Amino acid sequence: MTDSPLANPLKLPCGAVLPNRIAKAAMTEGLADDQLHATQRHETLYRRWSEGGAGLLITGNVMIDHRVLERPGNVAIDPAPAEGEPEAMAQLRAWAEAGTRNGNHLWMQISHAGRQSPRYVTSRPMGPSAVQLSLMGNYARPRALTEPEILDFIQRFANVARIAKEAGFTGVQVHGAHGYLLSSFLSPVTNQRTDRWGGSLENRARFLLEVVRATRAAVGPEFPVAVKLNSDDFRKGGFSLDESVSVVRWLNEEGIDLLEVSGGTYEQPRLLGYSGDADTASEGPAMRESTRKREAYFLDYAQKIREVCDCPLMVTGGFRSRAFMEEVVANGETDVIGLGRPLCTDPDTPGDLLEGRIEKTVCYEDDIKLAQSGLFSPASPLMPFKAIGAYVKDELARARRIKKTRSTSR
């Protein structure tokens, strides 16, 4: 192994140690069976990613509520396997074992989709308030959660974390970003409540903070608990960088072990490097011109958070060159590099970066952009659209099967 700063281990506040500074960021898998249990395909995929060399693997959304999924094929732990589905626990154990075979960490990302659950999954999404997601008519108007439901969901997050620990996952990440349920409570655009869960930032952050507190109580002080948080929603009137900084100060008091900084929502998908609806978009704080030419989308925003954050920081989104990754880790701009899309096609990317075998990750998204413009055509400029069509067709078919299976088994 080289003397790259990416190869340095990282000790977390809880005492656990990440073997290096590269993480596979969460990406939705859609590999669950029709009962929303983990499958052999999770084992195969995460075994391969484990062998790829990343020090940390974070799963895609594991849902606390089978009724409201981010997409068909999410794993859902509802009810808990120990409460009537022992085969589901065995499948979680197999997933955890496969995903940690190389001595790396495997953390379960725990989430609730909130209002960002498509119509073909549910016609009754949930949110802090009845504010509909405007995106091609694919999302129904959510109903506002009652306080008893909020309190129940807090315990569900904690319970799923406990099950993850029992199954052999080495940590958990609470998903408080990207417009999902916890994130939507943080935003004054989507949270228009007037009770203790809405209004002031302190009230809007209460749900996230209570979830983190309950999760820590469920897993104990020596088990990693991470949070994924938007640096900015990039939405007019939405959750801002200044508010994010305040929430991080409160998270410090809960003793989290890693904070992943991201940004955007379905309406403003900055997490993918794109802008969304121009009418509702907010640029957020102005970035330096040098930053606009850099790879990482959220690094400038992360620096404001870094000033107040007591725990290690992970930044995800846009990293591609080894030299730049090494630079930002060496100078303390971030402690962990989150990689997503490059690992979809080349799972050996982390090891290749650590050993100095590559200078830059694969960038297939650039080829897609060129294909859409007609300037580059590996086969046909229509290929990306054909792929999207095939994806949607499969999602609809899976959603129908899952609804049928779940309705007859519960």
Side-chain angles (χ1 to χ4, degrees):
M1 184 172 289
T2 68
D3 59 356
S4 167
L6 299 177
N8 293 335
L10 177 65
K11 186 173 182 179
L12 303 176
C14 67
V17 178
L18 302 182
N20 61 58
R21 303 304 183 91
I22 298 179
K24 181 206 80 68
M27 295 180 284
T28 181
E29 306 98 358
L31 299 178
D33 61 22
D34 291 348
Q35 293 282 356
L36 307 181
H37 297 165
T39 65
Q40 176 67 46
R41 292 185 293 174
H42 286 95
E43 296 175 50
T44 300
L45 178 61
Y46 278 83
R47 181 182 298 110
R48 187 67 184 86
W49 272 331
S50 176
E51 294 168 349
L56 169 63
L57 307 178
I58 303 177
T59 74
N61 293 286
V62 173
M63 313 307 293
I64 66 168
D65 185 351
H66 74 272
R67 301 167 298 173
V68 184
L69 307 176
E70 170 259 340
R71 64 173 292 197
N74 287 147
V75 172
I77 301 181
D78 169 34
E83 296 173 0
E85 297 181 311
E87 72 281 2
M89 191 64 174
Q91 290 162 322
L92 288 174
R93 292 185 189 279
W95 182 8
E97 181 178 359
T100 54
R101 63 178 291 128
N102 198 39
N104 57 282
H105 277 255
L106 173 62
W107 294 359
M108 180 184 288
Q109 184 186 75
I110 309 174
S111 182
H112 189 293
R115 72 183 192 132
Q116 293 183 170
S117 183
R119 287 183 188 272
Y120 54 81
V121 172
T122 179
S123 60
R124 292 288 287 167
M126 307 170 185
S129 306
V131 179
Q132 188 167 6
L133 173 61
S134 299
L135 196 63
M136 298 183 292
N138 194 32
Y139 297 85
R141 182 177 296 278
R143 66 171 180 82
L145 290 173
T146 65
E147 181 166 54
E149 287 176 316
I150 293 171
L151 297 175
D152 174 55
F153 283 166
I154 290 169
Q155 295 308 312
R156 289 195 194 200
F157 272 95
N159 189 49
V160 172
R162 176 184 58 79
I163 291 166
K165 181 179 180 181
E166 292 177 3
F169 291 82
T170 62
V172 294
Q173 182 188 69
V174 174
H175 199 339
H178 298 172
Y180 297 121
L181 186 63
L182 294 177
S183 176
S184 68
F185 265 78
L186 291 171
S187 170
V189 171
T190 48
N191 184 349
Q192 300 177 1
R193 303 175 71 98
T194 57
D195 60 5
R196 68 191 186 110
W197 306 97
S200 67
L201 178 61
E202 183 177 14
N203 282 353
R204 286 183 275 123
R206 189 186 307 278
F207 193 2
L208 171 63
L209 297 174
E210 291 288 350
V211 164
V212 172
R213 190 170 302 136
T215 297
R216 172 59 76 194
V219 299
E222 298 179 354
F223 190 76
V225 174
V227 171
K228 188 168 190 170
L229 184 70
N230 272 1
S231 55
D232 197 298
D233 285 353
F234 303 103
R235 172 77 186 266
K236 291 178 182 177
F239 185 64
S240 67
L241 176 59
D242 287 342
E243 290 187 323
S244 183
V245 168
S246 295
V247 172
V248 171
R249 293 182 189 274
W250 294 329
L251 286 170
N252 287 337
E253 300 174 12
E254 304 304 327
I256 64 172
D257 295 291
L258 186 70
L259 179 70
E260 182 181 359
V261 176
S262 191
T265 66
Y266 279 17
E267 290 162 314
Q268 301 296 333
R270 299 298 178 89
L271 65 156
L272 299 176
Y274 302 105
S275 297
D277 180 9
D279 292 336
T280 62
S282 169
E283 284 297 324
M287 291 191 296
R288 298 188 302 266
E289 184 60 31
S290 59
T291 300
R292 295 181 185 277
K293 298 177 182 178
R294 295 198 299 184
E295 301 172 14
Y297 311 144
F298 305 113
L299 202 56
D300 253 22
Y301 304 104
Q303 296 325 296
K304 296 293 292 183
I305 292 171
R306 180 69 145 179
E307 294 173 4
V308 302
C309 185
D310 290 344
C311 70
L313 204 63
M314 171 177 167
V315 179
T316 299
F319 287 105
R320 292 296 180 266
S321 67
R322 179 165 62 91
F324 184 61
M325 297 179 204
E326 291 178 337
E327 174 189 331
V328 297
V329 169
N331 66 23
E333 290 186 72
T334 186
D335 299 292
V336 179
I337 302 291
L339 295 178
R341 284 173 287 187
L343 273 66
C344 290
T345 54
D346 190 356
D348 291 323
T349 294
D352 289 342
L353 289 168
L354 292 167
E355 297 291 346
R357 290 189 290 266
I358 60 174
E359 295 300 321
K360 191 174 183 179
T361 72
V362 293
C363 302
Y364 290 118
E365 64 267 28
D366 293 340
D367 293 343
I368 292 174
K369 292 174 185 176
L370 287 171
Q372 289 174 328
S373 69
L375 298 176
F376 173 81
S377 179
S380 164
L382 296 177
M383 283 185 65
F385 302 103
K386 291 180 179 179
I388 291 171
Y391 167 82
V392 172
K393 182 179 179 181
D394 181 66
E395 289 285 281
L396 293 174
R398 297 199 67 191
R400 287 193 293 269
R401 292 199 310 270
I402 290 168
K403 285 182 179 179
K404 182 178 179 180
T405 301
R406 302 289 291 189
S407 64
T408 57
S409 63
R410 292 187 180 275

